[in-house]
Amino acid sequence: MDTPQYPLLSRTLFPDLPAYPERMIQFGEGNFLRAFTAWQVQQMNKQGRFQGNIVMIKPQGSPVSEHYAKQDHLYTVLINGIADQQVINEHEIIHSVSRLISPYTEYEQFLALAEQDSLEFITSNTTEAGIAYKPEDRLTDAPQQSFPGKLTALLYRRYQLGKAGFTIIPCELIDRNGEKLREIVLRYAAEWDLGDGFIQWLEQENTFCCSLVDRIVPGYPQQQAEQLAQELGYQDHLMVTAEPYLLWVIEGPAWLPERLPLTEAGLYVIFTEDLRPYREQKVHLLNGPHTAMAALGLLAGLTTVEDVMNDEDLSVFVKELMEQEIVPMLDLPRAGLLSYAEAVRERFMNPFIRHELASISLNSIAKFQTRLLPVLLRYQRERGELPKRITLAFAALLVGYRGDRLARKDSPEVLTLFDQAWSQPVEAIPVLLRETKLWGQDLSSVPELARTLEQYVRKLDAFGARATLQWLGGGSLCDD
């Protein structure tokens, strides 16, 4: 909401804010990275440990928000929540971002980043669907459609200039994200016939790190915008809310903590030789429940994660999902997993954070494939039956992607596959399960999965999400 009586946040209002050389390229301008990576860079800068700014790259072709330029790329991060049993309510103007480039309108400016010797790090968060190979991409495109394609073009220009490589730390929530990004870049390098010298430079002069991120970032506080403008004395259309908790696990070489002094700045960052245990716990026990609750909660008429956790039916669903279906499938000590699960539920109930289920539902198919499908398949293999709560969440997702009850936010390719399948409702679920482009494998042979999903979809359509949840917990429906 505009509040004209307050000036717009800009360097005119705060002329003494420092500016630093650009040291990091960030693919992604969304809420998460602005409250995660850019926020951490600012903490290092404040302590004189990094003294570098970020240049953001818009990975998609949608128009660039005018607010970035109007606000001189300044924005406010609100930290709201409970940490160490203390209420945290803080705000900070982030000035660690110098500019935003869209390769779709400023492609040569994007490639010109290769000329800057000061740039040495690349981070990204293009969602789980972002680290993907697109065979139609070519070096001559301006720009390439995929994030790895754009990255390959930038790296090739860097190589041509004879300059040093980068340390590349993707933040997408896919397993071995750094390795997969590296594989696709090398594939483009070979298919585009960029030469053995470039491939050797990629492998020897660049470091691709796997990483894991953890911070709940709901985004713009729409309902409090006018009140916050009054409290802060300025308007900020880029403001973003985040919880106090933050974790970044980076699997990389021994020299990295010195080059990127996050831990020295007091940030909860773990540099490790193996992030797999951290990833399993976080992706399945924090991100998994988020994905499971999104479609079900929206179908039940709820709006936020806090609504879910305060709902009698949905809160029980989340607790039992975590403790009875996810925890038993993870190869970590049960006591520690249950303790982490309890802490996650407390974070979900943060009264200061308005985390919209609609926001969580973005690209839900890729998220389900990463966060919940591995648990479902392992549960079925080991126990000979389907985990009923994950399966119900799967059914709710299929209903949501039918497009007649919920707004869908995913790639055109994914939505086309669903539209084609749901045009023949009787065969829709078997067709969708066979579609390897959606799940990374053919799910049609998973015992009882198609039949169970069809049963759950019928109940969701006939009785609604809440009644179906109650039925799942032992209640009855009139057609039982």
Side-chain angles (χ1 to χ4, degrees):
M1 177 183 297
D2 286 337
T3 51
Q5 65 269 39
Y6 299 104
L8 190 66
L9 173 62
S10 69
R11 286 188 176 268
T12 302
L13 292 181
F14 299 94
D16 296 329
L17 292 176
Y20 299 103
E22 293 172 342
R23 293 188 62 191
M24 182 179 290
I25 298 170
Q26 174 178 294
F27 282 85
E29 84 290 4
N31 292 325
F32 179 79
L33 284 184
R34 291 193 293 114
F36 187 79
T37 310
W39 183 87
Q40 291 183 82
V41 167
Q42 175 140 327
Q43 309 316 305
M44 292 191 292
N45 285 344
K46 287 194 302 185
Q47 299 181 33
R49 299 180 184 276
F50 190 70
Q51 294 180 310
N53 271 11
I54 294 170
V55 53
M56 297 191 303
I57 307 301
K58 187 170 180 58
Q60 303 297 329
S62 55
V64 174
S65 170
E66 63 181 8
H67 299 307
Y68 286 99
K70 288 184 176 180
Q71 295 187 191
D72 297 323
H73 301 91
L74 301 178
Y75 60 93
T76 311
V77 168
L78 307 172
I79 305 294
N80 293 322
I82 299 173
D84 298 326
Q85 299 182 337
Q86 300 294 318
V87 174
I88 306 295
N89 189 358
E90 302 173 348
H91 72 272
E92 181 176 4
I93 296 174
I94 304 301
H95 49 84
S96 57
V97 175
S98 58
R99 53 187 170 135
L100 169 61
I101 297 173
S102 171
Y104 293 85
T105 57
E106 304 164 296
Y107 188 64
E108 285 304 317
Q109 189 175 346
F110 163 67
L111 289 183
L113 293 174
E115 303 170 10
Q116 293 183 219
D117 292 321
S118 63
L119 289 166
E120 54 182 314
F121 297 97
I122 296 177
T123 59
S124 66
N125 186 20
T126 56
T127 79
E128 283 91 331
I131 299 182
Y133 169 78
K134 290 187 178 296
E136 63 271 23
D137 275 347
R138 296 291 183 269
L139 180 63
T140 52
D141 294 342
Q144 298 73 24
Q145 293 303 305
S146 71
F147 156 52
K150 296 181 183 73
L151 177 60
T152 305
L154 178 66
L155 293 174
Y156 185 60
R157 176 66 65 89
R158 184 85 160 186
Y159 162 74
Q160 289 179 310
L161 294 170
K163 295 185 179 295
F166 293 100
T167 300
I168 302 164
I169 313 175
C171 297
E172 289 84 353
L173 286 174
I174 63 172
D175 192 18
R176 313 303 298 167
N177 49 18
E179 291 178 1
K180 291 184 178 178
L181 180 58
R182 176 180 174 273
E183 289 173 3
I184 298 174
V185 169
L186 287 170
R187 181 174 181 180
Y188 282 132
E191 294 183 356
W192 295 350
D193 197 22
L194 301 183
D196 293 339
F198 176 55
I199 292 175
Q200 183 178 10
W201 179 86
L202 278 175
E203 295 180 325
Q204 296 182 358
E205 299 295 327
N206 297 270
T207 302
F208 288 80
C209 301
C210 295
S211 85
L212 172 73
V213 297
D214 190 354
R215 183 175 231 182
I216 296 174
V217 180
Y220 183 73
Q222 181 67 49
Q223 295 187 342
Q224 294 82 38
E226 187 169 357
Q227 176 187 343
L228 288 166
Q230 181 178 357
E231 293 176 1
L232 299 173
Y234 58 79
Q235 296 182 75
D236 181 358
H237 297 287
L238 300 173
M239 187 181 302
V240 59
T241 304
E243 66 171 341
Y245 182 88
L246 175 149
L247 171 64
W248 197 2
V249 184
I250 303 174
E251 185 181 289
W255 49 258
L256 186 55
E258 183 177 354
R259 293 261 302 276
L260 193 62
L262 294 156
T263 52
E264 290 183 15
L267 300 166
Y268 187 23
V269 177
I270 297 173
F271 293 95
T272 181
E273 295 180 352
D274 184 6
L275 63 71
R276 284 174 293 183
Y278 302 98
R279 180 190 181 277
E280 278 202 4
Q281 178 173 270
K282 190 264 179 178
V283 169
H284 297 313
L285 273 177
L286 186 143
N287 301 112
H290 262 166
T291 298
M293 72 172 68
L296 272 173
L298 289 168
L299 289 171
L302 305 181
T303 304
T304 68
V305 173
E306 186 183 8
D307 291 343
V308 169
M309 300 310 294
N310 289 327
D311 184 275
E312 181 177 356
D313 298 312
L314 269 297
S315 62
V316 171
F317 168 83
V318 170
K319 186 175 189 296
E320 292 178 347
L321 167 80
M322 298 172 81
E323 295 182 354
Q324 298 181 25
E325 297 184 358
I326 298 177
V327 165
M329 296 299 108
L330 301 183
D331 296 322
L332 292 168
R334 179 175 174 82
L337 289 170
L338 290 174
S339 176
Y340 180 79
E342 182 178 358
V344 165
R345 289 196 298 275
E346 289 178 352
R347 292 167 64 191
F348 286 170
M349 296 180 71
N350 184 348
F352 303 100
I353 294 292
R354 182 177 176 82
H355 203 171
E356 303 276 351
L357 297 177
S359 175
I360 294 171
S361 69
L362 173 67
N363 293 333
S364 284
I365 299 304
K367 290 176 179 177
F368 185 88
Q369 179 187 342
T370 300
R371 303 171 177 186
L372 290 170
L373 183 57
V375 179
L376 182 151
L377 295 176
R378 180 173 179 178
Y379 193 103
Q380 197 286 325
R381 286 195 307 269
E382 295 187 2
R383 301 197 173 186
E385 60 183 14
L386 294 168
K388 60 183 182 180
R389 296 168 191 85
I390 296 178
T391 309
L392 178 60
F394 196 174
L397 187 64
L398 298 180
V399 170
Y401 270 69
R402 197 170 58 201
D404 57 345
R405 297 180 61 180
L406 299 179
R408 305 175 301 175
K409 294 182 289 185
D410 216 308
S411 70
E413 295 86 353
V414 167
L415 298 183
T416 296
L417 290 173
F418 272 90
D419 288 342
Q420 291 172 347
W422 280 116
S423 67
Q424 302 291 331
V426 175
E427 296 297 324
I429 290 177
V431 168
L432 289 168
L433 290 181
R434 288 194 296 269
E435 186 50 74
T436 59
K437 293 179 181 178
L438 296 175
W439 322 111
Q441 57 187 296
D442 185 341
L443 298 179
S444 62
S445 62
V446 178
E448 294 297 307
L449 182 58
R451 186 193 64 80
T452 305
L453 286 172
E454 288 172 340
Q455 177 192 25
Y456 288 177
V457 166
R458 286 196 301 271
K459 292 186 181 297
L460 288 168
D461 283 339
F463 302 102
R466 187 171 303 282
T468 304
L469 279 166
Q470 294 169 351
W471 165 78
L472 197 74
S476 61
L477 295 173
C478 60
D479 71 338
D480 288 351

